[in-house]
Amino acid sequence: MSDAAKGQGWRKDFPIEWDSDNYITRREFTKFLVLTSAATCVGNGVLALGTRRDNRELPSVTVLPDADLKPGDVHLFRYPTDNDPAILVRNADGALAGYMQRCTHLSCPVQYKGSSHTLECPCHNGSFDAASGKVISGPPPRPLPRIRLEVRDGHIHAIGLEDEA
């Protein structure tokens, strides 16, 4: 019986040497996937720990005299470095609140809206409560990072970042 009659005619057209073929077993493929996933997890962990800020390393910066900020006023400043915009708000009751000015969605600068007492992100209509920094609406996934403030010698000082709760 010929090869064509046996349904094996394709072997002449596509000769494959099975002994030298580079065949991957399911076990080898699974091992590759597991090792790649583990390496990705370790890499993400290193990046997450490497970008975390440590409050002990942040400087104390004098923002402005306490008397210069009246209830309902806002002051823009830079903290902890000159590349980090921040916003200081004195609430109607006189309490101070300082935040990093970058929205937690896509880092657009937030702006104070006195009429609603909120911090608004103009990029995607996100809004935050000016008293607590918590998300009120929109796409931001988490509250604004809050700056620890201290009033001493008649001046407002930024002294670090508060831990996220």
Side-chain angles (χ1 to χ4, degrees):
M1 192 182 232
S2 71
D3 284 343
K6 292 180 187 176
Q8 304 285 322
W10 61 271
R11 288 186 188 268
K12 289 181 183 174
D13 295 332
F14 301 102
I16 296 175
E17 295 179 25
W18 292 103
D19 296 334
S20 63
D21 186 34
N22 209 358
Y23 182 71
I24 298 175
T25 64
R26 282 188 220 158
R27 185 172 299 208
E28 290 170 333
F29 182 68
T30 303
K31 186 167 86 172
F32 171 76
L33 286 179
V34 168
L35 291 175
T36 303
S37 298
T40 302
C41 288
V42 168
N44 284 331
V46 168
L47 285 175
L49 292 175
T51 59
R52 189 173 170 186
R53 293 188 184 195
D54 189 358
N55 287 342
R56 291 173 290 179
E57 297 175 8
L58 296 179
S60 176
V61 174
T62 302
V63 180
L64 80 159
D66 187 35
D68 289 356
L69 197 66
K70 305 291 182 217
D73 284 350
V74 174
H75 178 74
L76 301 178
F77 65 104
R78 302 279 180 172
Y79 186 80
T81 69
D82 287 339
N83 296 325
D84 298 311
I87 187 166
L88 175 65
V89 179
R90 186 176 296 269
N91 299 322
D93 63 359
L96 293 169
Y99 304 101
M100 301 302 287
Q101 197 183 5
R102 291 188 177 129
C103 178
T104 56
H105 177 230
L106 291 176
S107 297
C108 293
V110 296
Q111 301 165 351
Y112 181 70
K113 297 284 184 180
S115 59
S116 59
H117 193 61
T118 57
L119 296 165
E120 305 283 333
C121 177
C123 295
H124 299 102
N125 295 325
S127 64
F128 302 88
D129 179 41
S132 66
K134 292 182 180 176
V135 177
I136 295 174
S137 66
R142 60 189 175 281
L144 289 171
R146 192 171 179 125
I147 298 172
R148 286 188 297 164
L149 302 169
E150 181 178 272
V151 178
R152 66 175 183 260
D153 302 326
H155 288 81
I156 301 169
H157 299 271
I159 59 171
L161 295 176
E162 291 185 4
D163 294 328
E164 292 184 26

